[in-house]
């Protein structure tokens, strides 16, 4: 049952990489508030499981699409299918990415650098640009509004040895978001960044590794624990709903207080 404040009924949100981890947590928050979801990800089996999860959570409608966001052609085709199915998109969360994969910059081949940025930067940029294109067209037709969201990380603020590909993509996406906030505010389209801290997702390397990391780092956090995808449900509902209609160009740090702990 949707609440009045974070009501997402009638809204359609696109979440890339939305079949697991932070993306699925973000999407589940929208589902719980009665919104509809379009999920872009490459694994059909995980897509099917995510669809059922979101329907069970209360989503009005869920459609999943196999979309590789490293391909502009795939993104454009994905939007064609999404708009044919839903007729609109109100929120776009450009979340697709992967683990950095290296411990030193000297271990990072140039082709691995480009391959990572094809998804985490170029894919995010094109996904956000095309979502904005639809929102602007709708605004010019008399229906302003929309929410663009980029996925950052604490690498926006901290240096991470060997994670130059990861940090470069996150910092660049944050710059793209701020420029979009400035450009599209006149259409009541807002653009913000979510910067997660240490979140236990499949990228952590399995349950045993997640448990070890939680036990090691959780007690050091001001909040006393590490994060989980469920911690992004409220964030998703807030950013997709009209409750966030006066917030744009901002970075929401969801890290259990890690940044203030030094």
């Amino acid at each position: 049952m949707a609440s009045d404040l974070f009501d997402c009924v009638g809204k359609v949100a696109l979440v890339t990489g939305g079949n697991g981890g932070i993306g699925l947590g973000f999407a589940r928050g929208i589902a719980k508030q009665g919104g509809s979801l379009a999920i872009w990800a490459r694994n059909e089996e995980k897509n099917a499981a995510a669809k059922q999860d979101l329907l069970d959570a209360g989503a009005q409608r869920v459609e999943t699409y196999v979309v590789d966001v490293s391909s502009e052609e795939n993104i454009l085709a994905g939007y064609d299918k999404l708009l044919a199915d839903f007729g609109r998109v109100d929120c776009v969360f450009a979340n697709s990415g992967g683990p950095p994969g290296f411990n030193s910059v000297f271990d990072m081949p140039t082709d691995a650098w480009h391959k990572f940025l094809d998804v985490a930067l170029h894919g995010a940029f094109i996904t956000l640009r095309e979502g904005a294109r639809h929102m602007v067209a709708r605004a010019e037709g008399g229906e302003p509004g929309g929410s663009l969201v980029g996925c950052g990380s604490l690498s926006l603020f901290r240096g991470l040895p060997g994670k130059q590909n990861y940090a470069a993509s996150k910092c660049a996406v944050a710059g793209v978001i701020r420029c979009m906030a400035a450009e599209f505010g006149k259409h009541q389209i807002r653009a913000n960044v979510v910067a997660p801290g240490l979140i236990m997702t499949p990228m952590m390397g399995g349950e045993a590794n997640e448990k070890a990391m939680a036990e090691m780092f959780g007690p050091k956090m001001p909040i006393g624990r590490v994060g989980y995808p469920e911690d992004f449900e409220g964030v998703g509902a807030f950013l997709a709903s009209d409750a966030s209609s006066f917030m744009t160009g901002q970075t929401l740090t969801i890290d259990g207080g890690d940044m203030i702990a030094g």
Side-chain angles (χ1 to χ4, degrees):
M1 179 69 68
S3 68
D4 290 337
L5 184 59
F6 288 176
D7 187 1
C8 292
V9 173
K11 296 191 183 295
V12 177
L14 164 63
V15 181
T16 70
N19 63 7
I22 290 170
L24 182 57
F26 188 99
R28 194 181 296 118
I30 297 168
K32 287 184 176 181
Q33 298 304 311
S36 294
L37 279 305
I39 301 299
W40 285 2
R42 294 180 295 181
N43 186 306
E44 291 189 27
E45 185 175 346
K46 287 181 64 178
N47 282 357
K51 179 174 183 176
Q52 191 58 56
D53 179 311
L54 295 170
L55 288 171
D56 290 345
Q60 191 172 57
R61 180 181 179 184
V62 181
E63 299 295 340
T64 65
Y65 309 86
V66 176
V67 176
D68 179 357
V69 299
S70 69
S71 162
E72 181 172 6
E73 183 179 56
N74 260 228
I75 292 172
L76 296 178
Y79 269 112
D80 286 344
K81 293 175 183 176
L82 185 162
L83 294 172
D85 285 339
F86 291 98
R88 62 187 295 120
V89 61
D90 300 280
C91 176
V92 175
F93 182 28
N95 167 70
S96 289
F102 302 96
N103 294 317
S104 169
V105 68
F106 300 127
D107 299 328
M108 189 185 301
T110 302
D111 63 343
W113 164 269
H114 286 293
K115 186 175 181 180
F116 190 92
L117 294 186
D118 281 344
V119 173
L121 172 54
H122 305 140
F125 166 69
I126 297 168
T127 299
L128 291 165
R129 182 190 70 191
E130 297 307 310
R133 193 187 303 278
H134 170 73
M135 293 175 188
V136 168
R138 195 174 68 220
E140 290 175 342
E143 188 184 351
S147 177
L148 302 168
V149 185
C151 188
S153 80
L154 297 193
S155 66
L156 295 176
F157 317 107
R158 291 175 172 167
L160 302 172
K163 309 299 186 283
Q164 285 84 356
N165 54 352
Y166 185 79
S169 69
K170 300 300 185 182
C171 291
V173 166
V176 167
I177 283 289
R178 285 191 290 271
C179 290
M180 288 185 165
E183 182 171 353
F184 302 131
K186 62 188 177 184
H187 299 297
Q188 302 302 303
I189 297 166
R190 59 216 188 263
N192 296 286
V193 177
V194 173
L198 182 58
I199 311 300
M200 297 297 102
T201 72
M203 286 198 299
M204 294 294 130
E207 289 185 13
N209 202 39
E210 285 184 31
K211 183 179 179 181
M213 293 185 73
E215 292 174 350
M216 180 181 299
F217 294 107
K220 300 176 183 178
M221 302 287 185
I223 207 77
R225 65 173 177 85
V226 296
Y228 295 90
E230 292 78 9
D231 292 310
F232 291 82
E233 292 181 9
V235 178
F238 172 64
L239 290 176
S241 74
D242 292 338
S244 60
S245 63
F246 195 57
M247 188 181 73
T248 195
Q250 302 303 308
T251 298
L252 286 76
T253 305
I254 314 298
D255 68 345
D258 190 12
M259 280 297 297
I260 64 166

